[in-house]
Coordinates of all heavy atoms in Angstrom, one line a residue:
E15 N 0.8 -1.3 -0.1 CA 0.0 0.0 0.0 C 0.9 1.3 0.0 O 2.0 1.2 0.4 CB -0.9 0.0 1.2 CG -1.9 -1.1 1.2 CD -2.8 -1.2 2.5 OE1 -2.2 -1.0 3.6 OE2 -4.1 -1.3 2.3
S16 N 0.3 2.4 -0.5 CA 1.0 3.6 -0.4 C 0.2 4.5 0.7 O -1.0 4.2 1.0 CB 1.0 4.3 -1.7 OG -0.3 4.6 -2.1
L17 N 0.9 5.5 1.2 CA 0.3 6.4 2.2 C 0.2 7.8 1.8 O 1.2 8.4 1.2 CB 1.1 6.2 3.5 CG 0.9 7.2 4.6 CD1 -0.5 6.9 5.2 CD2 1.9 7.0 5.7
V18 N -0.9 8.4 2.1 CA -1.2 9.8 1.9 C -1.4 10.4 3.3 O -2.3 9.9 4.0 CB -2.3 10.2 1.0 CG1 -2.6 11.7 1.0 CG2 -2.1 9.6 -0.4
L19 N -0.7 11.4 3.7 CA -1.0 12.1 5.0 C -1.6 13.4 4.6 O -1.0 14.3 4.0 CB 0.3 12.4 5.8 CG 1.0 11.2 6.4 CD1 2.2 11.6 7.2 CD2 0.1 10.3 7.3
D20 N -2.9 13.5 4.9 CA -3.7 14.7 4.5 C -3.6 15.6 5.8 O -4.1 15.3 6.9 CB -5.2 14.3 4.3 CG -6.0 15.5 3.8 OD1 -5.6 16.6 4.1 OD2 -7.2 15.3 3.4
L21 N -3.0 16.8 5.5 CA -2.7 17.7 6.7 C -3.7 18.9 6.5 O -3.4 19.9 7.2 CB -1.2 18.1 6.5 CG -0.2 17.1 6.5 CD1 1.3 17.7 6.5 CD2 -0.3 16.1 7.6
S22 N -4.7 18.8 5.8 CA -5.5 20.0 5.6 C -6.1 20.5 6.9 O -6.4 21.7 7.2 CB -6.6 19.7 4.7 OG -7.5 18.6 5.1
D23 N -6.3 19.7 7.9 CA -6.8 20.1 9.3 C -5.8 20.0 10.4 O -6.3 19.9 11.6 CB -8.1 19.2 9.6 CG -9.3 19.6 8.7 OD1 -9.4 20.8 8.2 OD2 -10.1 18.7 8.3
L24 N -4.5 19.9 10.1 CA -3.5 19.9 11.0 C -3.2 21.4 11.4 O -2.9 22.1 10.5 CB -2.3 19.2 10.5 CG -1.2 18.9 11.5 CD1 -1.7 17.9 12.6 CD2 0.1 18.5 10.8
E25 N -3.4 21.7 12.7 CA -3.1 23.1 13.2 C -1.8 23.3 13.6 O -1.3 24.4 13.5 CB -4.1 23.3 14.4 CG -5.6 23.2 14.0 CD -6.4 23.2 15.1 OE1 -6.1 23.7 16.2 OE2 -7.6 22.7 15.1
Y26 N -1.1 22.3 14.1 CA 0.4 22.4 14.7 C 1.0 21.1 14.5 O 0.4 20.0 14.7 CB 0.1 22.8 16.2 CG 1.4 22.9 16.9 CD1 2.3 23.9 16.9 CD2 1.7 21.7 17.7 CE1 3.4 23.9 17.6 CE2 2.9 21.8 18.6 CZ 3.8 22.8 18.4 OH 4.9 22.8 19.1
V27 N 2.4 21.2 14.3 CA 3.2 20.0 14.4 C 4.4 20.4 15.2 O 5.1 21.3 14.9 CB 3.5 19.5 12.9 CG1 4.3 20.6 12.1 CG2 4.3 18.2 13.0
A28 N 4.8 19.5 16.1 CA 6.0 19.6 16.9 C 7.1 18.9 16.4 O 6.9 18.0 15.4 CB 5.7 19.1 18.4
S29 N 8.4 19.0 16.8 CA 9.5 18.4 16.3 C 9.3 16.9 16.3 O 9.7 16.1 15.4 CB 10.7 18.8 17.0 OG 10.7 18.5 18.4
F30 N 8.7 16.3 17.3 CA 8.5 14.9 17.3 C 7.5 14.4 16.3 O 7.7 13.4 15.8 CB 7.9 14.5 18.7 CG 8.2 13.1 19.2 CD1 9.4 12.6 19.5 CD2 7.1 12.2 19.0 CE1 9.6 11.2 19.8 CE2 7.2 10.8 19.3 CZ 8.5 10.4 19.7
G31 N 6.5 15.3 15.9 CA 5.7 15.0 14.8 C 6.4 15.0 13.4 O 6.2 14.2 12.6
L32 N 7.4 16.0 13.3 CA 8.2 16.0 12.1 C 9.0 14.8 12.0 O 9.1 14.2 10.9 CB 9.1 17.3 12.1 CG 8.4 18.6 12.0 CD1 9.3 19.8 12.3 CD2 7.6 18.8 10.7
R33 N 9.5 14.3 13.1 CA 10.4 13.1 13.1 C 9.5 11.9 12.7 O 10.0 11.0 12.0 CB 11.0 12.8 14.4 CG 12.2 13.7 14.6 CD 12.9 13.3 15.9 NE 12.2 13.4 17.1 CZ 12.4 14.5 18.0 NH1 13.4 15.2 17.9 NH2 11.6 14.5 19.1
Q34 N 8.2 11.9 13.0 CA 7.3 10.9 12.7 C 7.1 10.9 11.2 O 6.9 9.9 10.5 CB 6.0 10.9 13.5 CG 5.1 9.6 13.2 CD 5.8 8.4 13.6 OE1 6.5 8.3 14.7 NE2 5.9 7.5 12.7
F35 N 6.9 12.1 10.5 CA 6.8 12.2 9.1 C 8.0 11.5 8.4 O 7.8 10.6 7.5 CB 6.8 13.6 8.6 CG 5.5 14.3 9.0 CD1 5.5 15.8 8.9 CD2 4.3 13.7 9.3 CE1 4.4 16.5 9.1 CE2 3.2 14.4 9.6 CZ 3.3 15.8 9.5
V36 N 9.2 11.7 8.8 CA 10.4 11.1 8.3 C 10.4 9.6 8.4 O 10.6 8.8 7.6 CB 11.7 11.8 8.8 CG1 12.9 11.0 8.3 CG2 11.7 13.2 8.4
A37 N 10.1 9.1 9.7 CA 10.1 7.7 10.0 C 8.9 7.0 9.1 O 9.2 5.9 8.7 CB 9.8 7.5 11.5
S38 N 7.8 7.7 9.0 CA 6.7 7.1 8.2 C 7.1 7.0 6.7 O 6.9 5.9 6.0 CB 5.5 8.0 8.2 OG 5.1 8.0 9.6
Y39 N 7.9 8.0 6.2 CA 8.4 8.0 4.8 C 9.4 6.8 4.6 O 9.3 6.1 3.7 CB 9.0 9.3 4.5 CG 9.4 9.4 3.1 CD1 8.5 9.6 2.0 CD2 10.9 9.3 2.8 CE1 9.0 9.7 0.7 CE2 11.3 9.5 1.4 CZ 10.4 9.6 0.4 OH 10.7 9.8 -0.9
K40 N 10.3 6.6 5.6 CA 11.2 5.6 5.5 C 10.5 4.2 5.6 O 10.8 3.2 4.9 CB 12.2 5.6 6.6 CG 13.2 6.8 6.4 CD 14.3 6.9 7.5 CE 15.2 8.1 7.3 NZ 16.1 8.2 8.4
K41 N 9.6 4.1 6.5 CA 8.9 2.8 6.6 C 8.1 2.5 5.4 O 8.0 1.3 5.1 CB 7.9 2.8 7.9 CG 7.2 1.5 8.2 CD 5.7 1.6 8.2 CE 5.2 0.3 8.5 NZ 4.3 -0.3 7.5
M42 N 7.6 3.5 4.7 CA 6.8 3.3 3.5 C 7.7 3.1 2.3 O 7.3 3.0 1.2 CB 5.8 4.4 3.3 CG 4.7 4.5 4.3 SD 3.7 2.9 4.6 CE 3.1 2.7 3.0
N43 N 9.0 3.1 2.4 CA 10.0 3.0 1.4 C 9.7 4.0 0.3 O 9.8 3.7 -0.9 CB 10.0 1.6 0.8 CG 10.5 0.5 1.7 OD1 11.5 0.8 2.4 ND2 9.9 -0.5 1.8
G44 N 9.4 5.2 0.7 CA 9.1 6.3 -0.2 C 7.7 6.4 -0.8 O 7.5 7.3 -1.7
K45 N 6.9 5.4 -0.5 CA 5.5 5.4 -1.1 C 4.6 6.2 -0.2 O 3.6 5.7 0.4 CB 5.0 4.0 -1.3 CG 5.8 3.1 -2.2 CD 5.2 1.8 -2.5 CE 5.1 1.0 -1.3 NZ 4.5 -0.3 -1.5
M46 N 4.9 7.5 0.0 CA 4.2 8.4 0.9 C 4.3 9.8 0.4 O 5.3 10.3 -0.2 CB 4.8 8.3 2.3 CG 4.0 9.2 3.4 SD 4.7 9.3 4.9 CE 5.5 10.9 4.9
V47 N 3.1 10.5 0.5 CA 3.1 11.9 0.1 C 2.3 12.7 1.2 O 1.6 12.1 2.0 CB 2.4 12.2 -1.2 CG1 3.1 11.6 -2.3 CG2 1.0 11.9 -1.2
L48 N 2.7 13.9 1.4 CA 2.0 14.9 2.3 C 1.1 15.7 1.4 O 1.5 16.2 0.3 CB 2.9 15.9 3.0 CG 4.0 15.2 3.9 CD1 5.0 16.2 4.4 CD2 3.4 14.4 5.0
R49 N -0.2 15.7 1.7 CA -1.2 16.4 0.8 C -1.9 17.5 1.7 O -2.1 17.4 2.9 CB -2.2 15.4 0.3 CG -3.1 15.9 -0.7 CD -4.0 14.8 -1.3 NE -3.2 13.9 -2.1 CZ -3.4 12.7 -2.5 NH1 -4.6 12.2 -2.2 NH2 -2.7 12.1 -3.3
N50 N -2.3 18.6 1.0 CA -3.1 19.7 1.6 C -2.4 20.3 2.7 O -3.0 20.5 3.8 CB -4.4 19.2 1.9 CG -5.1 18.6 0.7 OD1 -5.1 19.1 -0.4 ND2 -6.0 17.5 1.0
V51 N -1.1 20.7 2.6 CA -0.4 21.2 3.7 C -0.6 22.7 3.9 O -0.5 23.5 3.0 CB 1.2 21.0 3.4 CG1 2.0 21.5 4.6 CG2 1.5 19.5 3.1
P52 N -1.1 23.0 5.1 CA -1.4 24.4 5.5 C -0.2 25.3 5.4 O 1.0 24.7 5.6 CB -1.9 24.4 6.9 CG -2.4 22.9 7.1 CD -1.5 22.1 6.2
E53 N -0.2 26.6 5.2 CA 0.9 27.4 5.0 C 1.8 27.5 6.2 O 3.0 27.5 6.1 CB 0.4 28.9 4.7 CG -0.1 29.1 3.3 CD -0.4 30.6 3.0 OE1 0.3 31.5 3.6 OE2 -1.4 30.8 2.5
N54 N 1.2 27.4 7.4 CA 2.1 27.5 8.6 C 2.9 26.3 8.7 O 4.1 26.3 9.1 CB 1.3 27.8 9.9 CG 0.3 26.7 10.1 OD1 -0.3 26.1 9.2 ND2 0.0 26.3 11.4
I55 N 2.4 25.1 8.4 CA 3.1 23.8 8.4 C 4.1 23.7 7.3 O 5.2 23.3 7.5 CB 2.2 22.5 8.3 CG1 1.0 22.7 9.4 CG2 2.9 21.3 8.4 CD1 1.4 22.5 10.8
M56 N 3.8 24.2 6.0 CA 4.7 24.3 4.9 C 5.9 25.1 5.3 O 7.0 24.7 4.9 CB 4.0 24.8 3.6 CG 4.9 24.8 2.5 SD 5.4 23.2 1.9 CE 4.0 22.7 0.9
G57 N 5.7 26.2 5.9 CA 6.8 27.0 6.4 C 7.8 26.1 7.2 O 9.1 26.3 7.0
I58 N 7.4 25.4 8.1 CA 8.2 24.6 9.1 C 8.9 23.5 8.2 O 10.1 23.2 8.3 CB 7.3 23.9 10.1 CG1 6.8 25.0 11.1 CG2 8.1 22.9 10.9 CD1 5.8 24.6 12.0
L59 N 8.2 22.8 7.2 CA 8.6 21.8 6.4 C 9.8 22.4 5.5 O 10.9 21.7 5.4 CB 7.6 21.2 5.5 CG 6.6 20.4 6.2 CD1 5.5 19.9 5.2 CD2 7.1 19.3 7.0
K60 N 9.6 23.6 5.0 CA 10.6 24.2 4.1 C 11.9 24.6 5.0 O 13.1 24.4 4.6 CB 10.1 25.4 3.5 CG 9.3 25.0 2.2 CD 8.7 26.3 1.5 CE 7.9 25.8 0.4 NZ 7.4 27.0 -0.4

């Protein structure tokens, strides 16, 4: 299976949450995307 993390209703992400994004991406062997990323979260990701 592939994974989509829909962040459209995510209000806040802490550093531990960011680490979980990376861990999930690795676990999925790259078959993961982040979708509908709010501006405030996108700023952190960038």
Side-chain angles (χ1 to χ4, degrees):
E15 295 177 312
S16 62
L17 173 62
V18 174
L19 292 181
D20 181 346
L21 308 184
S22 57
D23 290 328
L24 188 64
E25 298 171 20
Y26 171 82
V27 61
S29 61
F30 200 74
L32 294 172
R33 284 191 293 254
Q34 189 55 53
F35 287 162
V36 173
S38 298
Y39 183 73
K40 289 179 180 178
K41 189 238 182 238
M42 296 302 302
N43 294 316
K45 297 187 302 184
M46 184 186 104
V47 298
L48 301 176
R49 189 173 288 162
N50 302 321
V51 181
E53 283 186 43
N54 63 324
I55 305 292
M56 183 63 85
I58 294 168
L59 295 174
K60 286 183 177 182

